[in-house]
Amino acid sequence: MAATRIRAGAIAVVVASIAGMIAASIAGNNVGLVTTIGVVGAIAALVLLVVAAVAPARPLEVFEDADAERLERAVASLVAHGADERAVRELVRDATRLGARATR
């Protein structure tokens, strides 16, 4: 996912900017360099906030429960119409695994 990569990149920049500010202030009295590194870290933190606001980390559980209930009703309907329950449930497991791999 793009949001996950952006989050990871922003966190890396924030951590690196903290280390950079410390190293730059120890190495010499270059206020401009320390300020520049600090501004870059602040921008990365803002990017992290925007990504968190725009792309939630995971879906709400209410929707997951509704999807699970809808899927269970579909399985029950197929079984009621003569499908083998074990085969239907195995098909659902395979589809879930396939979907999980496709989203990585």
Side-chain angles (χ1 to χ4, degrees), residues 6-23:
I6 293 171
R7 280 186 186 103
I11 290 170
V13 170
V14 169
V15 170
S17 68
I18 292 170
M21 286 187 297
I22 292 170

Side-chain angles (χ1 to χ4, degrees), residues 43-70:
I43 291 171
L46 286 174
V47 168
L48 188 59
L49 286 172
V50 170
V51 169
V54 172
R58 56 188 223 62
L60 298 175
E61 290 182 23
V62 175
F63 296 119
E64 290 175 0
D65 291 343
D67 288 343
E69 189 175 320
R70 190 171 28 258

Side-chain angles (χ1 to χ4, degrees), residues 12-41:
V13 170
V14 169
V15 170
S17 68
I18 292 170
M21 286 187 297
I22 292 170
S25 64
I26 290 173
N29 194 11
N30 191 345
V31 176
L33 181 61
V34 174
T35 304
T36 302
I37 294 171
V39 168
V40 169

